[in-house]
Amino acid sequence: MKHIKGIIFDLDGVLVHTDELHYQAWKQIADKAGIPFDREVNHRLRGVSRMESLAIILENDDKNRTDEEKQAMADEKNKLYRNLLKSLTPLSVEPDIRKSLHALREKGIKLAIGSSSKNARTILQNIGLSTMFDAVSDGNNITHSKPHPEVFLLAAQYMGLTPEECTVVEDARAGVDAAVDGGFTCFAMGDAADYGRATHRIENVKDILDYFD
Ligand code: BG6
Ligand code: MG
């Protein structure tokens, strides 16, 4: 992978287990509203924005809700989620992941975040990774969330690189679609590991190092 000069990491579910915290917060909202919601439905929320996540959850709702009610549900979920984010510390990042990021930087590879979340910078701060990345592209600088490639195209641009010079690391099918449609190669893990559009499949972030010897 000699031509790769930058790696763009998804955050939730790749570098830290905030995907579980998203699930817990949505589960409380869904239970309170009497809407069936399980981990299967939760997989479809990976990589998509807060309001799009709510729209997926509401597919199983038997009530018609106004836009104001929907906004209130999304706001309440974010409040619960941000409360859960307070439990994150540098220990929430697996040591292997932190070591791998350092090792990639030592090889001269630029690193960026490409996340649909508006809470990405808070998370990076809490887990002590704020200074690890050359660029952060997140839910605050995009108009379309994954599977649209915008978040990754901007991350590459912020690093001064082209999509061909970057690769993406994702745990969401929507994220793999965003990467491939944007002209990036892509490492897929977790829920996206068996997705056919991924360029490479990995079990853990540290497996990326095998491609950069
Ligand atoms: C993505 C998550 O990283 O961020 C999605 O995979 C989530 O599940 C999205 O909906 C938006 O997050 P936030 O923090 O802006 O509500
Ligand atoms: Mg993710």
Side-chain angles (χ1 to χ4, degrees), residues 9 11 57 73 134 174 186 191:
F9 290 88
L11 181 61
I57 292 169
M73 288 170 96
D134 299 279
C186 180
D191 186 54

Side-chain angles (χ1 to χ4, degrees), residues 37 93 107 115 118 125 127:
F37 177 65
V93 181
K107 289 178 189 291
S115 166
K118 293 189 171 163
Q125 184 79 33
I127 62 180

Side-chain angles (χ1 to χ4, degrees), residues 96-202:
D96 269 354
I97 294 184
R98 198 178 293 274
K99 269 192 234 156
S100 303
L101 295 173
H102 279 293
L104 290 166
R105 279 183 74 103
E106 273 163 28
K107 289 178 189 291
I109 295 166
K110 288 187 175 177
L111 306 181
I113 292 292
S115 166
S116 299
S117 174
K118 293 189 171 163
N119 293 299
R121 285 183 193 271
T122 304
I123 296 167
L124 289 174
Q125 184 79 33
N126 291 3
I127 62 180
L129 284 182
S130 289
T131 57
M132 183 66 84
F133 298 93
D134 299 279
V136 174
S137 175
D138 65 19
N140 297 299
N141 60 249
I142 53 172
T143 45
H144 310 283
S145 88
K146 302 167 190 176
H148 193 287
E150 184 182 18
V151 72
F152 296 137
L153 293 172
L154 286 171
Q157 191 184 312
Y158 296 161
M159 291 192 285
L161 299 174
T162 64
E164 295 73 27
E165 291 172 321
C166 300
T167 192
V168 167
V169 188
E170 260 295 346
D171 72 318
R173 286 164 184 245
V176 172
D177 284 337
V180 175
D181 290 345
F184 299 86
T185 52
C186 180
F187 287 91
M189 54 187 280
D191 186 54
D194 60 356
Y195 187 38
R197 293 195 80 198
T199 322
H200 307 284
R201 280 149 199 88
I202 51 170

Side-chain angles (χ1 to χ4, degrees), residues 61-78:
D61 190 15
D62 53 15
K63 294 197 186 67
N64 270 329
R65 300 188 193 259
T66 63
D67 286 350
E68 287 71 28
E69 284 171 323
K70 289 180 192 170
Q71 190 60 54
M73 288 170 96
D75 290 348
E76 178 68 16
K77 181 268 176 175
N78 195 47

